[in-house]
Amino acid sequence: MITRREFLQASVAASAIYGLSGFGNWSKLAAQQALTQDQLLQFDDFGNVTLIHVTDIHAQLKPIFFREPEINLGVGDARGKVPHVTGADFLKMFNIQPGTPDAYALTCEDFTALAKGYGRMGGMDRVATVVKAIRAARPDSILLDGGDTWHGSMTSFLTKGQDMVNVMNALGVDAMTSHWEWTYGTDRVKEIVESQLKFPFLGANIFDAEWDEPAFEPYKIFEKGGLRIAVIGQAFPYMPIANPGWMFPEYSFGIREERMQEVVDKVRAEGVDLVVCLSHNGFDVDRKMTSRVKGIDVILTGHTHDAVPEPVIVGDTILIASGSNGKFVSRVDLDVRDGRMMGFRHKLIPIFSDVITPDAEMAALIDAERAPFKDQLEEKIGTTESLLYRRGNFNGSWDDLICDAVRSERDAQIALSPGVRWGTTLLPGDAITREDIHNVTSMTYGQCYRTEMTGETLKTVMEDVADNLFNTDPYYQQGGDMVRVGGLAYSIDVSKPIGSRISNLALTDTGEAIDAAKSYTVAGWASVNQGTEGPQIWDVIESHIRKIGTVRLEPNTSVTVTGI
């Protein structure tokens, strides 16, 4: 086995070709305002294996704006480490100059101004161009999809993921794993996997709930360039907790690190030259699992939407994080000899939609998939004067708008909105279309409920969610962000244990402290409980925006964070 010293030396030497940030001479290009497709795709071929990774696309077929988080706190051993570094600290860590394309793509710094200059990112027709360019240079490359692909847009909701299945088949994906895909229900997932998908749907950790035995293909061995490469799938482990278990009761999930070790040992015994884990665990969970499961060479991580310009090395394993929403494509070239990884070269390729030429065939397919819904998608509902974004540990402005709508339309004192990390961004002055609303809400259990909760129950709910985010053991983290609140202020000490993090709950309308014994009217959406009743959340938001016409939001100061 290659030693850690040899591995690090080889890796650092390979990475040095592109500079510390992995983006080559972007800073010079930015100064000249001369971004070109050739520069974005420039890569000196290395080694004998190439992996291409996309993840967490969330059904975004067209170019989008997506603001990276302002706050992404790490706790325990992850404190101050990637991916829990944001903004100016991120720029400093990776030696990125403010105002450059990489600063825009990777941080929230000066986002609105830079977005107006550099434009939208992503678009599956642009991704197709990048994939085809890599394959032209490396015909034996392997394209892997980390999941959260079939869900997150209006067209994917209306077609039950069919639009994305068709697009990913056309893209030529070689294997995928899963998470939100399961919220279409067991029957729909099986229909796609068994009769439509042109590539393996991998999940070593997906078991039959009744028989407690593997239920899906755990891995796929690819023979490329005279080498045998094992790709092991790891689906999102917390499915029945974070999402409605009643939609897929036939299956159980879990991290199952013993199972992962078993599968790694099995493929090693079969004589593979390289072991890749295609994971939807989330970054911190993968970092811990990697330290405990031996024999994995590469983890392509997903779920937590982290865009990291350099691989993170854990022991003899490299972790690759490729962002979300189609903003990036990762290319990883590996030197594999005698069953050992001797070095790597990596680039996180930013998909600047105004720079990369759309692939004509993919563009035509996307337009055809969207055509039946075009008028619905493009209908203008209102306008925003505020930057609308979601991503971050606590309330974003999209969340504030959603909570305002829920409180107003459902006549509630308090609104709760889930801390999901998907959802695109709108710039000040943009029209708000129906598609934009769906991009932050579209799901198969979007009913907006109205109920009564005691102050004690409210605190318990918030403590539970906070522990999902700030438990110091990554295996107890589910990868989302804090529940968003409207009409409610609170303090949170992220350094405290469960039950002690949340304090000073109060109604923002009156300043009245929340009484543990008193009941309050609460409305929210995305309940995992079967039989939840209420209007769909996108209809609630649309009604609210039509009434106010123009969205103007004040900065939200209702959450006080300590213990950082």
Side-chain angles (χ1 to χ4, degrees):
M1 183 69 179
I2 188 170
T3 67
R4 177 174 171 80
R5 179 179 177 83
E6 290 169 338
F7 182 85
L8 290 172
Q9 287 175 338
S11 301
V12 170
S15 294
I17 291 173
Y18 293 103
L20 288 176
S21 74
F23 286 89
N25 62 344
W26 271 29
S27 296
K28 294 178 182 177
L29 289 172
Q32 300 166 10
Q33 292 296 297
L35 278 174
T36 68
Q37 178 171 307
D38 287 345
Q39 291 288 347
L40 293 179
L41 298 181
Q42 192 275 328
F43 196 107
D44 294 329
D45 298 344
F46 175 80
N48 50 0
V49 175
T50 294
L51 305 176
I52 310 170
H53 183 228
V54 293
T55 191
D56 296 279
I57 294 169
H58 282 288
Q60 295 304 315
L61 293 174
K62 289 287 190 177
I64 48 88
F65 292 111
F66 184 81
R67 180 185 186 267
E68 298 295 334
E70 183 176 350
I71 301 175
N72 185 12
L73 300 176
V75 294
D77 292 341
R79 183 174 181 177
K81 295 180 180 178
V82 170
H84 305 288
V85 182
T86 60
D89 291 334
F90 186 100
L91 299 181
K92 183 177 180 181
M93 173 175 282
F94 292 103
N95 194 29
I96 299 170
Q97 292 298 310
T100 55
D102 36 341
Y104 164 58
L106 290 162
T107 75
C108 62
E109 294 292 288
D110 203 19
F111 179 82
T112 299
L114 294 180
K116 291 178 179 178
Y118 291 116
R120 289 178 169 82
M121 300 191 69
M124 293 307 296
D125 49 3
R126 277 77 166 181
V127 170
T129 296
V130 172
V131 169
K132 285 186 176 180
I134 297 172
R135 281 177 164 158
R138 307 283 276 197
D140 283 341
S141 59
I142 304 172
L143 173 59
L144 300 170
D145 171 14
D148 275 2
T149 305
W150 308 345
H151 158 279
S153 71
M154 185 172 177
T155 55
S156 64
F157 174 77
L158 293 174
T159 66
K160 297 183 180 179
Q162 191 66 52
D163 61 336
M164 290 306 300
V165 171
N166 295 343
V167 164
M168 300 310 275
N169 277 340
L171 189 64
V173 170
D174 291 300
M176 72 174 293
T177 192
S178 58
H179 171 198
W180 278 90
E181 285 75 12
W182 286 98
T183 62
Y184 290 114
T186 294
D187 290 345
R188 179 58 175 153
V189 171
K190 290 181 69 176
E191 177 188 11
I192 292 172
V193 172
E194 293 173 1
S195 65
Q196 298 185 32
L197 213 58
K198 295 181 180 179
F199 47 87
F201 184 87
L202 302 178
N205 62 329
I206 307 175
F207 275 48
D208 183 286
E210 181 178 359
W211 298 101
D212 194 31
E213 60 185 19
F216 284 82
E217 193 174 357
Y219 63 89
K220 174 73 174 178
I221 295 178
F222 297 90
E223 296 189 5
K224 300 284 187 178
L227 299 172
R228 302 181 76 236
I229 301 153
V231 176
I232 304 170
Q234 176 81 350
F236 181 55
Y238 306 106
M239 285 301 313
I241 302 171
N243 303 98
W246 56 268
M247 291 182 167
F248 38 87
E250 298 87 352
Y251 302 109
S252 64
F253 296 79
I255 297 169
R256 301 186 192 270
E257 65 176 35
E258 296 86 357
R259 164 69 171 165
M260 179 60 67
Q261 186 67 70
E262 171 189 310
V263 176
V264 172
D265 293 345
K266 180 179 179 181
V267 297
R268 286 290 182 191
E270 292 181 22
V272 302
D273 299 285
L274 185 77
V275 176
V276 178
C277 178
L278 178 62
S279 173
H280 206 87
N281 278 339
F283 196 100
D284 288 344
V285 175
D286 275 328
R287 179 158 41 197
K288 178 175 177 177
M289 186 181 77
T290 305
S291 72
R292 296 160 66 91
V293 175
K294 305 306 177 186
I296 300 174
D297 296 301
V298 181
I299 290 191
L300 303 173
T301 188
H303 177 60
T304 40
H305 292 199
D306 309 300
V308 182
E310 296 177 17
V312 171
I313 301 172
V314 181
D316 292 340
T317 307
I318 60 172
L319 267 68
I320 306 293
S322 303
S324 67
N325 289 274
K327 279 184 69 177
F328 302 95
V329 172
S330 281
R331 173 176 172 176
V332 190
D333 280 17
L334 303 153
D335 179 15
V336 180
R337 286 173 278 153
D338 301 321
R340 302 192 302 179
M341 180 167 60
M342 304 301 293
F344 66 85
R345 194 169 289 167
H346 161 267
K347 189 173 186 179
L348 183 67
I349 302 169
I351 309 301
F352 283 93
S353 62
D354 291 339
V355 177
I356 297 173
T357 302
D359 177 77
E361 292 181 4
M362 184 62 80
L365 173 60
I366 290 169
D367 287 345
E369 294 292 338
R370 291 169 56 85
F373 316 106
K374 189 174 187 296
D375 291 344
Q376 297 177 64
L377 294 167
E378 296 178 356
E379 184 174 347
K380 179 180 176 181
I381 310 303
T383 304
T384 182
E385 291 185 356
S386 301
L387 176 68
L388 295 181
Y389 65 91
R390 167 174 283 160
R391 184 73 169 84
N393 286 158
F394 304 99
N395 276 47
S397 52
W398 254 123
D399 304 300
D400 294 337
L401 174 58
I402 291 170
C403 286
D404 286 349
V406 168
R407 290 184 69 206
S408 175
E409 295 295 311
R410 299 294 278 153
D411 188 24
Q413 294 171 284
I414 296 167
L416 301 179
S417 187
V420 294
R421 292 188 171 186
W422 47 272
T424 60
T425 300
L426 292 182
L427 302 184
D430 281 353
I432 303 172
T433 66
R434 182 172 290 113
E435 180 174 25
D436 295 324
I437 295 171
H438 271 262
N439 280 345
V440 292
T441 58
S442 209
M443 62 165 63
T444 56
Y445 52 104
Q447 292 83 2
C448 186
Y449 62 83
R450 185 178 187 274
T451 189
E452 297 285 321
M453 288 188 188
T454 64
E456 180 181 19
T457 299
L458 268 171
K459 184 177 187 301
T460 298
V461 167
M462 296 183 68
E463 290 280 5
D464 285 346
V465 177
D467 198 59
N468 292 338
L469 186 59
F470 298 117
N471 193 301
T472 55
D473 185 343
Y475 279 9
Y476 290 92
Q477 297 173 8
Q478 294 176 19
D481 286 310
M482 193 61 191
V483 61
R484 281 48 171 134
V485 296
L488 184 69
Y490 68 95
S491 299
I492 179 170
D493 185 338
V494 301
S495 67
K496 294 290 181 66
I498 187 170
S500 305
R501 293 188 181 97
I502 306 296
S503 61
N504 302 323
L505 284 86
L507 296 173
T508 57
D509 290 344
T510 63
E512 174 189 351
I514 295 293
D515 185 335
K518 188 175 177 180
S519 289
Y520 301 88
T521 305
V522 178
W525 62 288
S527 170
V528 299
N529 296 323
Q530 189 170 9
T532 299
E533 296 181 353
Q536 294 287 3
I537 183 62
W538 45 86
D539 292 332
V540 170
I541 298 167
E542 181 172 325
S543 176
H544 175 71
I545 293 175
R546 286 191 184 280
K547 289 174 182 175
I548 62 175
T550 300
V551 173
R552 302 178 185 88
L553 297 169
E554 297 297 323
N556 189 330
T557 59
S558 62
V559 183
T560 302
V561 183
T562 58
I564 300 173

